[in-house]
Structures are given as C-alpha cells and as structure tokens.
Amino acid sequence: DTEVTQTPKHLVMGMTNKKSLKCEQHMGHRAMYWYKQKAKKPPELMFVYSYEKLSINESVPSRFSPECPNSSLLNLHLHALQPEDSALYLCASSQDSTGDTEAFFGQGTRLTVV
Amino acid sequence: DAKTTQPNSMESNEEEPVHLPCNHSTISGTDYIHWYRQLPSQGPEYVIHGLTSNVNNRMASLAIAEDRKSSTLILHRATLRDAAVYYCILRGFYSGGGADGLTFGKGTHLIIQP
C-alpha cells in the first residue's frame, strides 16, 4: 500500500466554522507534511512532522492548527479562516525527512471558504 | 535552502525523448536532487532522485553533472500522459532527528504535442 489518503476531497466552510482535514498513511513513514497550493502556483510547505513531533512550522497563521495523533495520522484543524485561505491542501509522507527518501502525496482536499 | 532554476515551459512531440534541465549552482555536498511531477488536478508524484551518480528507474533517467551544479531529467519516450509540471527540488540531509520539507520552485510546464 503506497497511498496517502486525504479526506474529505472537497470542503466548503464558512468563516466562523471549525473543520478538520485528515490524512492517513500505512507505509510506516515517520515524516508527514502539510502543503497549501493555490491555483497555478507550486505547493507551499506549511508544516513538517518528524516522529510525531512538529519539526517545521513555516510561519503559518494560528487559524491552521496541525496535529499528529499517531504515526499514521495527520490532521489539520481549521478555525476562523478567510476567503484567501481557499486552496488545495496536500498531505505527504516519507520514510523519514532526510534527503535520500522520496515523498508520497495525497490527492488533496480542495477547500473553499465562503 | 539551495534554490533551483528551471525553464518555465517546454514543448515536445509524442514518442520523442524529452530533456528537462535544472540548474542548482548553490547545491551543497549533502543535497539530494529530487524530481517530482504534478499532473492536472492531482497531487505531486515522485519521479526520481540522486546524489552524484546518474540514476535510472522505470519512469525516467536522471543525469547529474560532474560538478553537481546542474541536472537533467530524461523521459525516454514521451506520451501525452507525461504532460505535467515537473519540479526539480534539492533536499538536504539532516542527522540527529532533524527534518526537511520539500520546497517547490515554479517548475517546468511540459507540453506534449500528439
């Protein structure tokens, strides 16, 4: 199984809502990542978890809150988002976070904030 | 992070080889060269990676210059399904539990003509 599964595939939320994005992998990978991708732009790194600990936070606003409950699961909690946060949110995983490991990406959650 | 430079777009004909260049003049000795591609409406997909020697896999070949300041991704026989944005990314090595995310540049938009 070389899949990274993201749910939901699509999400529409109001600016006062709280929602969560979920990412799951069963490859035994110990590094997991969240990316944000706007239309016609490259993915932008948001967070890196290494061995279930937050290793990198790329100055992401606190309305995005990551969580890694166990080595297979990564969540992104969303609260009080703005319309400009509408984007494709991608999750990825790799065996670890060293240079010699390939990353596997999910198909993303397309988020629309209204 | 060491940066990469790629042409914005390239065009090739179906069933012909494609050579996608990448410059990375500030690469460090421990940076791996990774290539990913992203097809329309999908998450990025790993293609290949290497450190110093040329690499081959079922998808492509990676040719690395002797001074490592540039590399070329080679698709041996392009098909219409190879039309995608191709990203060349440097990924560092971190020992002692450090972490590194993949930092995407603008990539090369590869167009395949039938």
Side-chain angles (χ1 to χ4, degrees):
Chain A
D1 180 7
T2 58
E3 271 195 23
V4 174
T5 305
Q6 290 189 243
T7 53
K9 289 189 169 29
H10 300 273
L11 178 62
V12 179
M13 63 183 289
M15 289 189 283
T16 59
N17 290 159
K18 285 186 183 180
K19 296 285 184 184
S20 297
L21 309 184
K22 180 179 168 182
C23 174
E24 203 162 358
Q25 57 86 15
H26 297 287
M27 294 177 276
H29 289 174
R30 303 313 299 269
M32 297 185 78
Y33 314 81
W34 280 116
Y35 286 84
K36 173 182 177 180
Q37 186 173 27
K38 302 282 273 184
K40 300 193 186 303
K41 298 289 187 183
E44 295 176 35
L45 182 65
M46 299 175 72
F47 303 105
V48 178
Y49 272 83
S50 180
Y51 291 85
E52 296 152 57
K53 288 187 170 26
L54 183 64
S55 294
I56 294 177
N57 176 343
E58 292 285 0
S59 303
V60 178
S62 60
R63 57 185 184 270
F64 295 91
S65 175
E67 179 197 19
C68 189
N70 59 58
S71 59
S72 300
L73 192 55
L74 186 66
N75 297 321
L76 186 63
H77 303 298
L78 314 172
H79 174 53
L81 294 194
Q82 303 297 311
E84 58 264 30
D85 296 321
S86 299
L88 181 68
Y89 287 85
L90 293 160
C91 174
S93 71
S94 60
Q95 187 173 350
D96 55 42
S97 54
T98 59
D100 195 20
T101 58
E102 65 199 74
F104 294 81
F105 284 80
Q107 294 304 297
T109 294
R110 190 160 299 282
L111 174 68
T112 303
V113 181
V114 297
Chain B
D1 289 339
K3 293 201 184 302
T4 62
T5 304
Q6 299 178 252
N8 287 335
S9 66
M10 290 184 65
E11 201 166 310
S12 183
N13 295 320
E14 199 176 9
E15 299 187 7
E16 289 186 357
V18 179
H19 291 234
L20 296 164
C22 180
N23 287 320
H24 29 79
S25 58
T26 59
I27 190 171
S28 76
T30 53
D31 283 339
Y32 284 79
I33 301 159
H34 284 243
W35 284 83
Y36 288 76
R37 71 180 186 181
Q38 188 171 22
L39 280 64
S41 302
Q42 293 192 25
E45 174 188 30
Y46 168 80
V47 178
I48 201 166
H49 78 282
L51 184 62
T52 56
S53 304
N54 295 345
V55 185
N56 300 298
N57 66 20
R58 63 172 180 82
M59 287 183 71
S61 295
L62 176 60
I64 301 172
E66 201 168 324
D67 64 5
R68 300 206 332 121
K69 293 185 177 181
S70 65
S71 60
T72 302
L73 179 71
I74 303 164
L75 307 180
H76 294 286
R77 199 161 162 268
T79 70
L80 295 176
R81 287 180 296 176
D82 292 320
V85 180
Y86 286 77
Y87 296 100
C88 170
I89 300 168
L90 301 183
R91 193 164 193 210
F93 173 80
Y94 289 81
S95 61
D100 182 31
L102 290 163
T103 300
F104 288 77
K106 295 181 181 177
T108 296
H109 184 199
L110 178 63
I111 299 163
I112 305 295
Q113 297 289 357

